[in-house]
Amino acid sequence: NLSQLIAHLKSSNPDILHTFFPIANSLGVMCGKLAGVQCIISSRRDYGHWFTPTYLKVTRFANRFVSAVLCNSAQVKLLTENVEGVPPEQVFVIPNGVEIDKLYRV
């Protein structure tokens, strides 16, 4: 339950909390804030076709407490900025995948 998560975060005192998946990107972020975690990073991995008005309301509130949001593409970054209202300076792109050319140098 959420009170156990908050207690665990308080006792473990992490330097960074990185949330992943929709529920954690809202409830996990808020638990981290209540536990006093100083650096909270959230992730976005899709274009949000499934967003509901309630999800967006809760996530926009939770976004107030994140230090950064990591996205896997420029398009998801724009969605995060435009739909969720996260300031551009807090949204970063780390693309999925591996650059094959760098693995196989001839």
Side-chain angles (χ1 to χ4, degrees), residues 37-93:
V37 177
Q38 296 299 305
C39 181
I40 301 172
I41 299 170
S42 191
S43 295
R44 302 295 184 273
R45 297 284 177 250
D46 62 52
Y47 207 64
H49 298 308
W50 53 270
F51 287 177
T52 64
T54 301
Y55 170 81
L56 282 173
K57 186 175 184 176
V58 171
T59 301
R60 284 181 187 132
F61 178 77
N63 286 342
R64 298 175 186 186
F65 310 117
V66 299
S67 304
V69 177
L70 301 181
C71 299
N72 64 345
S73 71
Q75 292 81 8
V76 173
K77 179 184 190 305
L78 288 174
L79 177 82
T80 302
E81 294 167 1
N82 295 329
V83 175
E84 293 187 35
V86 180
E89 61 273 8
Q90 286 182 263
V91 185
F92 302 90
V93 175

